[in-house]
Amino acid sequence: MFRNLLFLGLIFLVFTGSTVKDTTAADPKWEQLFNGKNLNGWHPKIRYHDLDDNFNNTFRVENGLLEVRYDQYDKFNETYGHLFYKKPYSYYLIAVEYRFVGDQCKGGPGWAFRNNGIMIHGQAPETMKKDQDFPNSMEVQLLGGTGKGNRSTANLCTPGTQFERDGKIITQHCTDSKSQTYNGDQWVRVEALVLADSLVIHYVNGEEVMRYEKPQHDPAKGEKEGEFLKSGSISIQAESHPTDFRKIEIIDLEKYAKNPAKLKAVVDKLMSTKRVAAQ
């Protein structure tokens, strides 16, 4: 218990302005989870269908893009889909570059208009029930503007989960970020820094828009705090609006997990570059 508290204390210090420094930080490289050619390494799970049944060719690769499409659907019928990467992660920086295109599938719910997401710290896809709509996970919600008013992206939604912020447990399902609105079919880059069960930070085009602590499962009845989420699956959503992904990439930070000063130095180096999606 003492070692865990000490580690969490160090994480808090190094990510809130501590003077701890490590000038020998490495320059980690991005690993491409999407190869631009096919869905190798990815597993679709679409509601009411078995794992690896890519119903109606929902997820496909064309012209170097990973596409979510509904041209083979008559109606959406709540067939929420997720495309899972083949392995889980614990400490990492993940990035996607996405855009919304075309019209929403007939029968898609209003809230799913120009709506997708990156599911992090998720359950294993093989543990999902056939009729389960969303994996238990932390969702970095990807939203496009409607052309009227503000609609932030890189929000947080929590199917089967909750989190803490400023020492308080947050149980509401979705929490907005402070990002700007992205209308039309412009490309947007969203990144999430995930440090096991201690800290998660969302970025949009190089700007921090949200941070929170202690991602966790929903608690057992009568409890306030749930089991902390230290690692889990990563997946991309299909919620009824056509979406393009041209990049899904990750930097695995696991090897720095036991050295908070080195972890800080590496993260500081990574985030010193403002990465903005090119149009």
Side-chain angles (χ1 to χ4, degrees), residues 174-195:
C174 289
T175 302
D176 287 346
S177 79
K178 58 182 182 181
S179 90
Q180 68 182 69
T181 300
Y182 294 89
N183 290 304
D185 60 357
Q186 62 182 301
W187 289 101
V188 182
R189 183 180 178 93
V190 167
E191 299 180 357
L193 175 67
V194 184
L195 302 179

PDB file of all heavy atoms in Angstrom, residues 174-195:
ATOM      1  N   CYS A 174     -21.437  11.443 -19.390  1.00  0.00           N
ATOM      2  CA  CYS A 174     -20.554  12.190 -20.289  1.00  0.00           C
ATOM      3  C   CYS A 174     -20.170  13.533 -19.686  1.00  0.00           C
ATOM      4  O   CYS A 174     -20.997  14.206 -19.064  1.00  0.00           O
ATOM      5  CB  CYS A 174     -21.225  12.414 -21.648  1.00  0.00           C
ATOM      6  SG  CYS A 174     -21.373  10.915 -22.657  1.00  0.00           S
ATOM      7  N   THR A 175     -18.918  13.915 -19.894  1.00  0.00           N
ATOM      8  CA  THR A 175     -18.390  15.184 -19.411  1.00  0.00           C
ATOM      9  C   THR A 175     -17.701  15.881 -20.575  1.00  0.00           C
ATOM     10  O   THR A 175     -16.844  15.292 -21.244  1.00  0.00           O
ATOM     11  CB  THR A 175     -17.370  14.952 -18.274  1.00  0.00           C
ATOM     12  OG1 THR A 175     -18.002  14.224 -17.203  1.00  0.00           O
ATOM     13  CG2 THR A 175     -16.832  16.280 -17.743  1.00  0.00           C
ATOM     14  N   ASP A 176     -18.070  17.121 -20.827  1.00  0.00           N
ATOM     15  CA  ASP A 176     -17.516  17.852 -21.965  1.00  0.00           C
ATOM     16  C   ASP A 176     -16.090  18.316 -21.698  1.00  0.00           C
ATOM     17  O   ASP A 176     -15.730  18.676 -20.577  1.00  0.00           O
ATOM     18  CB  ASP A 176     -18.374  19.078 -22.280  1.00  0.00           C
ATOM     19  CG  ASP A 176     -19.702  18.718 -22.921  1.00  0.00           C
ATOM     20  OD1 ASP A 176     -19.856  17.561 -23.358  1.00  0.00           O
ATOM     21  OD2 ASP A 176     -20.593  19.593 -22.972  1.00  0.00           O
ATOM     22  N   SER A 177     -15.304  18.351 -22.770  1.00  0.00           N
ATOM     23  CA  SER A 177     -13.977  18.938 -22.717  1.00  0.00           C
ATOM     24  C   SER A 177     -14.095  20.438 -22.979  1.00  0.00           C
ATOM     25  O   SER A 177     -15.190  20.969 -23.180  1.00  0.00           O
ATOM     26  CB  SER A 177     -13.071  18.293 -23.771  1.00  0.00           C
ATOM     27  OG  SER A 177     -13.344  18.836 -25.054  1.00  0.00           O
ATOM     28  N   LYS A 178     -12.965  21.115 -23.026  1.00  0.00           N
ATOM     29  CA  LYS A 178     -12.962  22.549 -23.320  1.00  0.00           C
ATOM     30  C   LYS A 178     -12.451  22.822 -24.737  1.00  0.00           C
ATOM     31  O   LYS A 178     -11.939  23.897 -25.033  1.00  0.00           O
ATOM     32  CB  LYS A 178     -12.122  23.310 -22.295  1.00  0.00           C
ATOM     33  CG  LYS A 178     -10.671  22.852 -22.204  1.00  0.00           C
ATOM     34  CD  LYS A 178      -9.926  23.639 -21.133  1.00  0.00           C
ATOM     35  CE  LYS A 178      -8.449  23.224 -21.067  1.00  0.00           C
ATOM     36  NZ  LYS A 178      -7.707  23.962 -20.020  1.00  0.00           N
ATOM     37  N   SER A 179     -12.611  21.839 -25.635  1.00  0.00           N
ATOM     38  CA  SER A 179     -12.138  22.029 -27.009  1.00  0.00           C
ATOM     39  C   SER A 179     -13.053  22.967 -27.784  1.00  0.00           C
ATOM     40  O   SER A 179     -14.203  23.205 -27.402  1.00  0.00           O
ATOM     41  CB  SER A 179     -12.047  20.685 -27.738  1.00  0.00           C
ATOM     42  OG  SER A 179     -13.257  20.378 -28.388  1.00  0.00           O
ATOM     43  N   GLN A 180     -12.546  23.444 -28.914  1.00  0.00           N
ATOM     44  CA  GLN A 180     -13.379  24.208 -29.818  1.00  0.00           C
ATOM     45  C   GLN A 180     -14.242  23.261 -30.637  1.00  0.00           C
ATOM     46  O   GLN A 180     -14.140  22.037 -30.516  1.00  0.00           O
ATOM     47  CB  GLN A 180     -12.506  25.069 -30.736  1.00  0.00           C
ATOM     48  CG  GLN A 180     -11.672  24.283 -31.735  1.00  0.00           C
ATOM     49  CD  GLN A 180     -10.791  25.184 -32.582  1.00  0.00           C
ATOM     50  OE1 GLN A 180      -9.837  25.792 -32.104  1.00  0.00           O
ATOM     51  NE2 GLN A 180     -11.103  25.291 -33.861  1.00  0.00           N
ATOM     52  N   THR A 181     -15.111  23.809 -31.461  1.00  0.00           N
ATOM     53  CA  THR A 181     -15.999  23.029 -32.322  1.00  0.00           C
ATOM     54  C   THR A 181     -15.367  22.864 -33.701  1.00  0.00           C
ATOM     55  O   THR A 181     -14.789  23.801 -34.238  1.00  0.00           O
ATOM     56  CB  THR A 181     -17.356  23.731 -32.458  1.00  0.00           C
ATOM     57  OG1 THR A 181     -17.938  23.861 -31.153  1.00  0.00           O
ATOM     58  CG2 THR A 181     -18.301  22.942 -33.355  1.00  0.00           C
ATOM     59  N   TYR A 182     -15.498  21.655 -34.264  1.00  0.00           N
ATOM     60  CA  TYR A 182     -14.946  21.366 -35.597  1.00  0.00           C
ATOM     61  C   TYR A 182     -16.095  20.989 -36.528  1.00  0.00           C
ATOM     62  O   TYR A 182     -16.598  19.863 -36.487  1.00  0.00           O
ATOM     63  CB  TYR A 182     -13.903  20.250 -35.507  1.00  0.00           C
ATOM     64  CG  TYR A 182     -12.686  20.677 -34.718  1.00  0.00           C
ATOM     65  CD1 TYR A 182     -12.636  20.498 -33.331  1.00  0.00           C
ATOM     66  CD2 TYR A 182     -11.606  21.285 -35.338  1.00  0.00           C
ATOM     67  CE1 TYR A 182     -11.535  20.915 -32.597  1.00  0.00           C
ATOM     68  CE2 TYR A 182     -10.491  21.699 -34.613  1.00  0.00           C
ATOM     69  CZ  TYR A 182     -10.473  21.513 -33.250  1.00  0.00           C
ATOM     70  OH  TYR A 182      -9.378  21.929 -32.520  1.00  0.00           O
ATOM     71  N   ASN A 183     -16.493  21.938 -37.348  1.00  0.00           N
ATOM     72  CA  ASN A 183     -17.586  21.717 -38.288  1.00  0.00           C
ATOM     73  C   ASN A 183     -17.077  21.138 -39.607  1.00  0.00           C
ATOM     74  O   ASN A 183     -15.877  21.150 -39.885  1.00  0.00           O
ATOM     75  CB  ASN A 183     -18.317  23.035 -38.557  1.00  0.00           C
ATOM     76  CG  ASN A 183     -19.107  23.519 -37.362  1.00  0.00           C
ATOM     77  OD1 ASN A 183     -19.962  22.802 -36.837  1.00  0.00           O
ATOM     78  ND2 ASN A 183     -18.822  24.739 -36.910  1.00  0.00           N
ATOM     79  N   GLY A 184     -17.990  20.673 -40.435  1.00  0.00           N
ATOM     80  CA  GLY A 184     -17.652  20.205 -41.770  1.00  0.00           C
ATOM     81  C   GLY A 184     -16.876  18.904 -41.760  1.00  0.00           C
ATOM     82  O   GLY A 184     -16.933  18.115 -40.815  1.00  0.00           O
ATOM     83  N   ASP A 185     -16.105  18.690 -42.855  1.00  0.00           N
ATOM     84  CA  ASP A 185     -15.382  17.430 -43.013  1.00  0.00           C
ATOM     85  C   ASP A 185     -13.884  17.608 -42.775  1.00  0.00           C
ATOM     86  O   ASP A 185     -13.069  16.869 -43.327  1.00  0.00           O
ATOM     87  CB  ASP A 185     -15.633  16.837 -44.395  1.00  0.00           C
ATOM     88  CG  ASP A 185     -15.178  17.756 -45.526  1.00  0.00           C
ATOM     89  OD1 ASP A 185     -14.720  18.887 -45.237  1.00  0.00           O
ATOM     90  OD2 ASP A 185     -15.288  17.347 -46.701  1.00  0.00           O
ATOM     91  N   GLN A 186     -13.505  18.576 -41.935  1.00  0.00           N
ATOM     92  CA  GLN A 186     -12.095  18.811 -41.661  1.00  0.00           C
ATOM     93  C   GLN A 186     -11.499  17.689 -40.822  1.00  0.00           C
ATOM     94  O   GLN A 186     -12.180  17.043 -40.027  1.00  0.00           O
ATOM     95  CB  GLN A 186     -11.887  20.154 -40.967  1.00  0.00           C
ATOM     96  CG  GLN A 186     -12.550  20.285 -39.597  1.00  0.00           C
ATOM     97  CD  GLN A 186     -12.351  21.666 -38.994  1.00  0.00           C
ATOM     98  OE1 GLN A 186     -11.231  22.113 -38.791  1.00  0.00           O
ATOM     99  NE2 GLN A 186     -13.454  22.351 -38.709  1.00  0.00           N
ATOM    100  N   TRP A 187     -10.203  17.447 -41.025  1.00  0.00           N
ATOM    101  CA  TRP A 187      -9.483  16.460 -40.235  1.00  0.00           C
ATOM    102  C   TRP A 187      -9.161  17.041 -38.863  1.00  0.00           C
ATOM    103  O   TRP A 187      -8.820  18.220 -38.733  1.00  0.00           O
ATOM    104  CB  TRP A 187      -8.185  16.061 -40.928  1.00  0.00           C
ATOM    105  CG  TRP A 187      -8.379  15.235 -42.156  1.00  0.00           C
ATOM    106  CD1 TRP A 187      -8.331  15.645 -43.453  1.00  0.00           C
ATOM    107  CD2 TRP A 187      -8.653  13.821 -42.191  1.00  0.00           C
ATOM    108  NE1 TRP A 187      -8.563  14.590 -44.309  1.00  0.00           N
ATOM    109  CE2 TRP A 187      -8.758  13.460 -43.562  1.00  0.00           C
ATOM    110  CE3 TRP A 187      -8.808  12.841 -41.215  1.00  0.00           C
ATOM    111  CZ2 TRP A 187      -9.016  12.152 -43.969  1.00  0.00           C
ATOM    112  CZ3 TRP A 187      -9.077  11.536 -41.614  1.00  0.00           C
ATOM    113  CH2 TRP A 187      -9.171  11.204 -42.973  1.00  0.00           C
ATOM    114  N   VAL A 188      -9.259  16.200 -37.846  1.00  0.00           N
ATOM    115  CA  VAL A 188      -8.972  16.603 -36.469  1.00  0.00           C
ATOM    116  C   VAL A 188      -8.055  15.545 -35.844  1.00  0.00           C
ATOM    117  O   VAL A 188      -8.251  14.344 -36.061  1.00  0.00           O
ATOM    118  CB  VAL A 188     -10.264  16.720 -35.624  1.00  0.00           C
ATOM    119  CG1 VAL A 188      -9.946  17.198 -34.208  1.00  0.00           C
ATOM    120  CG2 VAL A 188     -11.259  17.666 -36.296  1.00  0.00           C
ATOM    121  N   ARG A 189      -7.059  16.002 -35.097  1.00  0.00           N
ATOM    122  CA  ARG A 189      -6.178  15.080 -34.395  1.00  0.00           C
ATOM    123  C   ARG A 189      -6.505  15.110 -32.900  1.00  0.00           C
ATOM    124  O   ARG A 189      -6.489  16.172 -32.271  1.00  0.00           O
ATOM    125  CB  ARG A 189      -4.706  15.431 -34.597  1.00  0.00           C
ATOM    126  CG  ARG A 189      -3.751  14.436 -33.931  1.00  0.00           C
ATOM    127  CD  ARG A 189      -2.293  14.799 -34.151  1.00  0.00           C
ATOM    128  NE  ARG A 189      -1.393  13.877 -33.467  1.00  0.00           N
ATOM    129  CZ  ARG A 189      -0.848  12.793 -34.012  1.00  0.00           C
ATOM    130  NH1 ARG A 189      -1.123  12.495 -35.279  1.00  0.00           N
ATOM    131  NH2 ARG A 189      -0.042  11.998 -33.321  1.00  0.00           N
ATOM    132  N   VAL A 190      -6.803  13.940 -32.354  1.00  0.00           N
ATOM    133  CA  VAL A 190      -7.069  13.786 -30.916  1.00  0.00           C
ATOM    134  C   VAL A 190      -6.055  12.810 -30.342  1.00  0.00           C
ATOM    135  O   VAL A 190      -5.796  11.750 -30.927  1.00  0.00           O
ATOM    136  CB  VAL A 190      -8.506  13.287 -30.661  1.00  0.00           C
ATOM    137  CG1 VAL A 190      -8.675  12.826 -29.209  1.00  0.00           C
ATOM    138  CG2 VAL A 190      -9.507  14.390 -30.978  1.00  0.00           C
ATOM    139  N   GLU A 191      -5.471  13.175 -29.219  1.00  0.00           N
ATOM    140  CA  GLU A 191      -4.519  12.316 -28.510  1.00  0.00           C
ATOM    141  C   GLU A 191      -4.997  12.103 -27.085  1.00  0.00           C
ATOM    142  O   GLU A 191      -5.658  12.981 -26.502  1.00  0.00           O
ATOM    143  CB  GLU A 191      -3.122  12.946 -28.498  1.00  0.00           C
ATOM    144  CG  GLU A 191      -2.539  13.169 -29.875  1.00  0.00           C
ATOM    145  CD  GLU A 191      -1.154  13.793 -29.860  1.00  0.00           C
ATOM    146  OE1 GLU A 191      -0.635  14.122 -28.752  1.00  0.00           O
ATOM    147  OE2 GLU A 191      -0.577  13.958 -30.949  1.00  0.00           O
ATOM    148  N   ALA A 192      -4.653  10.959 -26.518  1.00  0.00           N
ATOM    149  CA  ALA A 192      -4.940  10.684 -25.112  1.00  0.00           C
ATOM    150  C   ALA A 192      -3.701  10.090 -24.468  1.00  0.00           C
ATOM    151  O   ALA A 192      -3.177   9.077 -24.929  1.00  0.00           O
ATOM    152  CB  ALA A 192      -6.122   9.725 -24.971  1.00  0.00           C
ATOM    153  N   LEU A 193      -3.228  10.762 -23.422  1.00  0.00           N
ATOM    154  CA  LEU A 193      -2.130  10.247 -22.612  1.00  0.00           C
ATOM    155  C   LEU A 193      -2.740   9.429 -21.490  1.00  0.00           C
ATOM    156  O   LEU A 193      -3.536   9.950 -20.703  1.00  0.00           O
ATOM    157  CB  LEU A 193      -1.298  11.401 -22.051  1.00  0.00           C
ATOM    158  CG  LEU A 193      -0.185  11.014 -21.078  1.00  0.00           C
ATOM    159  CD1 LEU A 193       0.916  10.233 -21.787  1.00  0.00           C
ATOM    160  CD2 LEU A 193       0.395  12.260 -20.399  1.00  0.00           C
ATOM    161  N   VAL A 194      -2.386   8.153 -21.419  1.00  0.00           N
ATOM    162  CA  VAL A 194      -2.999   7.234 -20.461  1.00  0.00           C
ATOM    163  C   VAL A 194      -1.902   6.645 -19.587  1.00  0.00           C
ATOM    164  O   VAL A 194      -0.999   5.961 -20.090  1.00  0.00           O
ATOM    165  CB  VAL A 194      -3.762   6.110 -21.192  1.00  0.00           C
ATOM    166  CG1 VAL A 194      -4.474   5.208 -20.187  1.00  0.00           C
ATOM    167  CG2 VAL A 194      -4.754   6.694 -22.194  1.00  0.00           C
ATOM    168  N   LEU A 195      -1.964   6.900 -18.287  1.00  0.00           N
ATOM    169  CA  LEU A 195      -0.961   6.402 -17.347  1.00  0.00           C
ATOM    170  C   LEU A 195      -1.625   5.458 -16.356  1.00  0.00           C
ATOM    171  O   LEU A 195      -1.922   5.816 -15.202  1.00  0.00           O
ATOM    172  CB  LEU A 195      -0.278   7.576 -16.622  1.00  0.00           C
ATOM    173  CG  LEU A 195       0.412   8.601 -17.541  1.00  0.00           C
ATOM    174  CD1 LEU A 195       1.017   9.727 -16.720  1.00  0.00           C
ATOM    175  CD2 LEU A 195       1.460   7.940 -18.428  1.00  0.00           C
TER     176      LEU A 195
END
